[in-house]
Amino acid sequence: LTENEESLMQRGAQAQVKAISRLGPKIWTLNFRNEMAHLNAELSEIVREIDRQDSQLIRVLNILKKNKRIYAAILKTLSERNPDKFKTPEEAQMYIESATSRSDALGVAKLIDSTLGAGTFRTLSLLDTQQDSSKNVYKLLAHRIDRTSFEKQV
């Protein structure tokens, strides 16, 4: 290489270093913005998942309220087995009806599970608007409500 070419290469390298040093903060800012956008997307997904869970708990409670037979049996059982909390089934109904948020619905779900046994609320989630599901869920819950073994019902 001639001295002239070497000098040009050095000046080119120096220009690149200067350009990088000027762009460095901008590149860092772009990377930071990309990371923040990624974190915001993840946070939004978490919030959507929580909303889905909220709606599932409240959806189960709403379907339970529409199903008169099972709802009445649950209310009666809650009042009988929790006399310190509910003197009548109407008080248990008021408690369930007051559940409008996720935390309220979660409290109702835990109360139902602690009163009727673990997994009862999950069984109630099998309810839908069809009549057949109501009959099947009632059969599944009858031993918990009546305190009889499932085998005796079959």
Side-chain angles (χ1 to χ4, degrees), residues 54-67:
D54 287 351
S55 63
Q56 286 177 349
L57 289 171
I58 292 174
R59 181 188 64 80
V60 171
L61 286 179
N62 288 334
I63 290 174
L64 173 63
K65 292 173 195 174
K66 291 177 185 174
N67 200 307

Side-chain angles (χ1 to χ4, degrees), residues 71-94:
Y71 191 42
I74 297 270
L75 293 174
K76 182 180 177 200
T77 306
L78 286 175
S79 65
E80 288 173 354
R81 296 188 193 168
N82 297 296
D84 53 320
K85 286 187 178 193
F86 313 113
K87 293 182 180 22
T88 64
E90 289 76 24
E91 287 183 10
Q93 182 179 3
M94 286 177 21

Side-chain angles (χ1 to χ4, degrees), residues 6 21 32 34 48 51 60 70-71 74 101 125 137 140 150:
E6 211 173 283
S21 66
F32 180 74
N34 286 340
R48 279 192 293 278
D51 287 343
V60 171
I70 295 175
Y71 191 42
I74 297 270
S101 69
S125 71
V137 169
L140 288 171
F150 184 72

Side-chain angles (χ1 to χ4, degrees), residues 2-150:
T2 65
E3 281 183 39
N4 205 14
E5 292 173 334
E6 211 173 283
S7 172
L8 282 173
M9 284 180 60
Q10 284 180 344
R11 284 190 298 207
Q14 289 172 348
Q16 284 180 341
V17 169
K18 284 182 181 179
I20 289 173
S21 66
R22 276 186 265 130
L23 290 176
K26 290 181 183 177
I27 291 172
W28 184 86
T29 301
L30 288 174
N31 285 338
F32 180 74
R33 286 182 182 161
N34 286 340
E35 284 296 316
M36 290 304 294
H38 179 71
L39 289 174
N40 280 337
E42 284 183 27
L43 184 59
S44 295
E45 183 58 33
I46 291 169
V47 168
R48 279 192 293 278
E49 179 61 28
I50 290 171
D51 287 343
R52 278 192 289 267
Q53 291 174 353
D54 287 351
S55 63
Q56 286 177 349
L57 289 171
I58 292 174
R59 181 188 64 80
V60 171
L61 286 179
N62 288 334
I63 290 174
L64 173 63
K65 292 173 195 174
K66 291 177 185 174
N67 200 307
K68 303 297 181 199
R69 181 180 180 198
I70 295 175
Y71 191 42
I74 297 270
L75 293 174
K76 182 180 177 200
T77 306
L78 286 175
S79 65
E80 288 173 354
R81 296 188 193 168
N82 297 296
D84 53 320
K85 286 187 178 193
F86 313 113
K87 293 182 180 22
T88 64
E90 289 76 24
E91 287 183 10
Q93 182 179 3
M94 286 177 21
Y95 176 73
I96 291 175
E97 302 275 334
S98 70
T100 56
S101 69
R102 179 184 189 279
S103 59
D104 295 341
L106 187 58
V108 170
K110 286 181 177 182
L111 176 67
I112 289 173
D113 275 356
S114 68
T115 302
L116 295 167
T120 301
F121 198 79
R122 180 169 292 178
T123 303
L124 290 172
S125 71
L126 299 173
L127 282 172
D128 58 26
T129 55
Q130 298 174 356
Q131 188 66 25
D132 289 343
S133 76
S134 172
K135 290 177 185 176
N136 293 333
V137 169
Y138 189 81
K139 286 179 186 177
L140 288 171
L141 293 177
H143 72 282
R144 294 177 186 215
I145 292 171
D146 301 332
R147 288 190 175 173
T148 59
S149 70
F150 184 72

